[in-house]
Amino acid sequence: MSKNILQNELFEAFANASDNIYIYVCDMKSSLSRWSKNTVDYFNLEAEYMTDTANKWMAKIHPDDRSLYVKDISAVFSGQSNRHSCQYRAKNKYGDYVWLECKGSVIPDENGQPSVFAGLMTRLDNQNKYDPLTHLLTNYELQNYDFSSGNGILMLLGIDSFRKINNTNGYIYGNKVLSIFAECLGELADKQDKIYRLQGDEFIVLSPNGTNDKMRELFQKVNDRCANMRGVKSFSVSAGIVSYPQDGSDCNTLLSNLEHSLEFAKEQNRNRIIEFSEKISQRHNRISNLHEALTKSIHNNFKGFELYFQPILDAKTKQIVECESLLRFKTPEIQDASPFEFIKLLENSGEIREVGAWVMEEALRHAARWQKEYGGIKVSFNVSYVQLLDGDFVDKLIEKTNEYQVNPNLIMVELTESCNAEDTDMLSHHFDRLRTLGYKIAMDDFGTEYASFGLLHDVNMDVLKIDQKFVRGLVQNRNMTDMAIIESVVDMCRRLSIQTIAEGVETVEIQDMIEKIGVSYLQGYLYSKPVPAAEFETMVRQKAFE
Ligand code: C2E
Ligand code: CA
Ligand code: CA
């Protein structure tokens, strides 16, 4: 019977359940035992099946913990107890002791005699000295470092867009990037520096007596190396720096100041390093207040949110034929929140789903009114990529369009953010469904890092919005490159029957140049900034630009 149990298929299933859980079963009469493959590998055991298990395992246990272990396990094997439960340290293949929580129980045979002993060991990663993946020191070790005496520098490094790297290439590839990066840090840092891995893609270099300049130098070297790594695609890192004791003399203060600096560095674009200062701290407080206000408003019927509308003109007639809905947020405490800033907060927290649904409904509500009063003005609204992941975005849009009785021809969806290859299938599917019903799909910010030819190739579009950067560049520096880019994009769109909108038309000069190139629609401060609905209606009634 016990042989059967040792060879049970369930064992295989559980053995592969997690990489920080190790399982075993033991025939108590013959003392033959079986260990999951990850246990054999991680603890360097001689084989999956072993006899004389007790002694072999005992050799792995930390000498200080052996008596505790023996006491507990002998109670099981002598029949005094049918449960095993204790925490101890065992030596892994690197020669380090790791903390384990070990739980097991006895299965009796048909006569009620102890027959099989089965158990699992969980690695208590949060109190181990070394990180199992990279073999660097852990956060637990950092917490035990004494920052109250001496001085030095800490640098927190984060891999740029690590989530995307992971999502696009899979988790095993992600782990490979982390391991290679850890190795590179080890090679480039000074011998007296200590290197830690925190959670995920965050790493710390602690340099006792180090200087800012030296850390910056290390940062530069690390980035140069990451741009040319063997075995993985090129990537970059950003970093925050603090000095102790100036910026804090306990670990938690230093860590939170580091996080705030890194957060700021990441927002500045990739490959940046930012030193902590009072300004960073104020900025962090401002952003957390903003986020708090946003959340409060979402739970209070979206009070404080408002849609503004910016006219879009037919390039030939200068008639307002369309408008873009743009979200604003204002409360008595928060007067000047930038949409770029609060949209990013909402996207990161996932709250953009709720706010986006509200934006959609508001846009439809106005579209319905303008359809009745002015015979139809197209209304576009922005959707973030996370909203589309929800799956029921399309159903909701169709349902609300019916409810407000809007002609789908009058509704346009603008997509800005990037997505990876697998996702474009899903996007195409959703968008094709909408296009069949008459909705228009626009690609926003064409030419920026996010929206480009890849997306154009994979997803059918009706409209392409040429990014302001190119449009404004036309006169700012009389840039022939921008001119050539816009001309070829417009030409390409003509061939593909895709309409074009130029954003950022700020001057008559730009307008004239754009018109010559043959862009279909114009949007920009030359005509109007985004304004509240009532003001927009006044412009429409007065035929402001014809
Ligand atoms: P976007 O979709 O590219 O919107 C165009 C932005 O350009 C708007 O900024 C608009 O005010 C600004 N703009 C228009 N004409 C000109 C011009 O001639 N010169 C200059 N310098 N700027 C011009 P805004 O309103 O600050 O919105 C910023 C971004 O926030 C939007 O960029 C969009 O990505 C995002 N956003 C706004 N509302 C929503 C929304 O409801 N949902 C989502 N997901 N994103 C939104
Ligand atoms: Ca837009
Ligand atoms: Ca845009």
Side-chain angles (χ1 to χ4, degrees), residues 128-131 134-147 153-157 181-182 185-186 189 192-208 244 251 255 258:
N128 282 329
K129 190 172 162 77
Y130 295 104
D131 169 50
T134 60
H135 203 51
L136 295 175
L137 295 162
T138 58
N139 191 17
Y140 178 72
E141 280 300 297
L142 184 65
Q143 298 286 340
N144 288 334
Y145 190 87
D146 179 16
F147 290 102
I153 306 272
L154 283 166
M155 172 160 70
L156 173 65
L157 297 127
F181 180 65
L185 272 182
Q192 65 269 30
D193 292 351
K194 287 169 170 282
I195 309 173
Y196 302 81
R197 177 180 173 211
L198 306 186
Q199 70 284 38
D201 65 306
E202 292 189 348
F203 296 80
I204 294 253
V205 179
L206 184 148
S207 182
Y244 61 91
C251 189
L255 271 181
L258 276 170

Side-chain angles (χ1 to χ4, degrees), residues 111-301:
N111 305 318
Q113 293 302 308
S115 164
V116 172
F117 177 57
L120 62 83
M121 303 182 289
T122 310
R123 200 175 62 214
L124 302 173
D125 282 344
N126 57 0
Q127 57 191 67
N128 282 329
K129 190 172 162 77
Y130 295 104
D131 169 50
L133 176 71
T134 60
H135 203 51
L136 295 175
L137 295 162
T138 58
N139 191 17
Y140 178 72
E141 280 300 297
L142 184 65
Q143 298 286 340
N144 288 334
Y145 190 87
D146 179 16
F147 290 102
S148 61
S149 58
N151 65 294
I153 306 272
L154 283 166
M155 172 160 70
L156 173 65
L157 297 127
I159 298 178
D160 294 325
S161 313
F162 184 70
R163 201 163 53 178
K164 198 168 154 197
I165 296 179
N166 235 349
N167 288 347
T168 317
N169 306 287
Y171 148 91
I172 293 176
Y173 181 87
N175 277 355
K176 191 169 164 194
V177 171
L178 294 172
S179 310
I180 290 185
F181 180 65
E183 254 170 55
C184 145
L185 272 182
E187 280 169 31
L188 296 173
D190 261 9
K191 286 295 154 275
Q192 65 269 30
D193 292 351
K194 287 169 170 282
I195 309 173
Y196 302 81
R197 177 180 173 211
L198 306 186
Q199 70 284 38
D201 65 306
E202 292 189 348
F203 296 80
I204 294 253
V205 179
L206 184 148
S207 182
N209 305 315
T211 62
N212 257 331
D213 287 347
K214 255 184 115 182
M215 274 302 190
R216 284 181 178 276
E217 214 175 283
L218 171 62
F219 176 77
Q220 204 43 57
K221 276 191 206 154
V222 168
N223 259 310
D224 291 346
R225 183 75 77 84
C226 294
N228 270 306
M229 217 52 119
R230 230 177 303 132
V232 294
K233 285 176 240 172
S234 111
F235 61 93
S236 61
V237 293
S238 299
I241 305 188
V242 295
S243 314
Y244 61 91
Q246 293 93 309
D247 300 327
S249 54
D250 67 281
C251 189
N252 286 338
T253 310
L254 288 167
L255 271 181
S256 98
N257 291 341
L258 276 170
E259 292 285 357
H260 300 163
S261 307
L262 178 61
E263 181 185 88
F264 187 57
K266 286 207 170 191
E267 268 168 33
Q268 303 291 299
N269 218 336
R270 39 189 64 232
N271 199 345
R272 288 286 299 255
I273 178 164
I274 303 274
E275 270 164 56
F276 177 75
S277 66
E278 206 36 52
K279 260 204 192 124
I280 300 275
S281 165
Q282 284 162 3
R283 184 185 160 280
H284 175 80
N285 290 340
R286 187 176 58 75
I287 288 181
S288 29
N289 290 339
L290 172 60
H291 195 176
E292 205 176 301
L294 287 162
T295 306
K296 211 166 110 193
S297 166
I298 292 170
H299 295 299
N300 189 15
N301 227 351

Side-chain angles (χ1 to χ4, degrees), residues 310 324 327-328 339 382 384 444-445 468 472 504 506 524-525 530:
Q310 185 177 31
E324 176 174 1
L327 189 59
R328 296 292 178 262
N382 295 282
S384 298
D444 209 351
D445 304 337
Q468 309 189 5
R472 299 217 305 268
E506 288 185 348
Y525 290 174

Side-chain angles (χ1 to χ4, degrees), residues 237-512:
V237 293
S238 299
I241 305 188
V242 295
S243 314
Y244 61 91
Q246 293 93 309
D247 300 327
S249 54
D250 67 281
C251 189
N252 286 338
T253 310
L254 288 167
L255 271 181
S256 98
N257 291 341
L258 276 170
E259 292 285 357
H260 300 163
S261 307
L262 178 61
E263 181 185 88
F264 187 57
K266 286 207 170 191
E267 268 168 33
Q268 303 291 299
N269 218 336
R270 39 189 64 232
N271 199 345
R272 288 286 299 255
I273 178 164
I274 303 274
E275 270 164 56
F276 177 75
S277 66
E278 206 36 52
K279 260 204 192 124
I280 300 275
S281 165
Q282 284 162 3
R283 184 185 160 280
H284 175 80
N285 290 340
R286 187 176 58 75
I287 288 181
S288 29
N289 290 339
L290 172 60
H291 195 176
E292 205 176 301
L294 287 162
T295 306
K296 211 166 110 193
S297 166
I298 292 170
H299 295 299
N300 189 15
N301 227 351
F302 299 94
K303 191 159 180 264
F305 287 105
E306 185 178 356
L307 274 197
Y308 274 33
F309 300 90
Q310 185 177 31
I312 299 175
L313 278 60
D314 182 312
K316 292 210 176 73
T317 63
K318 303 288 183 300
Q319 254 191 343
I320 301 177
V321 287
E322 196 174 327
C323 63
E324 176 174 1
S325 319
L326 291 153
L327 189 59
R328 296 292 178 262
F329 181 70
K330 205 168 171 181
T331 66
E333 299 80 40
I334 290 172
Q335 295 290 318
D336 52 359
S338 138
F340 286 111
E341 197 163 71
F342 69 76
I343 295 282
K344 195 183 292 154
L345 284 174
L346 295 171
E347 282 176 348
N348 288 342
S349 69
E351 287 161 308
I352 193 72
R353 293 190 176 94
E354 289 155 272
V355 177
W358 181 85
V359 166
M360 176 204 284
E361 181 152 2
E362 275 297 283
L364 285 167
R365 201 165 61 79
H366 285 95
R369 254 226 337 276
W370 297 334
Q371 178 176 279
K372 270 197 206 119
E373 288 176 23
Y374 309 112
I377 287 176
K378 230 183 250 164
V379 177
S380 80
F381 63 94
N382 295 282
V383 292
S384 298
Y385 180 64
V386 267
Q387 288 176 260
L388 295 170
L389 286 180
D390 249 1
D392 65 347
F393 170 82
V394 171
D395 292 330
K396 270 259 177 58
L397 177 55
I398 295 171
E399 180 196 312
K400 290 288 168 193
T401 311
N402 289 336
E403 187 181 319
Y404 287 95
Q405 301 190 326
V406 182
N407 180 347
N409 284 306
L410 294 175
I411 300 301
M412 184 157 93
V413 174
E414 295 190 14
L415 177 75
T416 322
E417 261 184 296
S418 65
C419 45
N420 61 48
E422 302 125 62
D423 299 316
T424 50
D425 284 350
M426 184 262 314
L427 266 189
S428 287
H429 171 75
H430 287 336
F431 285 169
D432 285 346
R433 211 177 131 205
L434 287 174
R435 294 178 75 237
T436 315
L437 294 169
Y439 296 88
K440 302 277 173 281
I441 305 295
M443 188 198 288
D444 209 351
D445 304 337
F446 187 80
T448 61
E449 178 188 3
Y450 291 131
S452 51
F453 290 101
L455 202 54
L456 191 65
H457 178 267
D458 295 334
V459 181
N460 293 320
M461 304 275 169
D462 304 282
V463 176
L464 190 149
K465 299 190 77 167
I466 303 168
D467 193 65
Q468 309 189 5
K469 179 170 81 182
F470 301 110
V471 178
R472 299 217 305 268
L474 281 181
V475 286
Q476 261 169 14
N477 34 9
R478 304 212 162 263
N479 194 329
M480 295 315 288
T481 320
D482 286 339
M483 183 67 136
I485 291 173
I486 299 180
E487 273 176 352
S488 38
V489 167
V490 171
D491 186 47
M492 170 189 74
C493 286
R494 206 177 288 126
R495 294 192 204 181
L496 298 171
S497 305
I498 292 176
Q499 293 188 312
T500 43
I501 299 180
E503 297 186 312
V505 180
E506 288 185 348
T507 62
V508 177
E509 205 181 350
I510 298 182
Q511 173 189 270
D512 293 346

Side-chain angles (χ1 to χ4, degrees), residues 3-18:
K3 189 153 175 51
N4 282 346
I5 284 190
L6 294 194
Q7 289 177 350
N8 195 309
E9 286 157 13
L10 272 178
F11 186 90
E12 293 283 346
F14 285 119
N16 296 321
S18 156

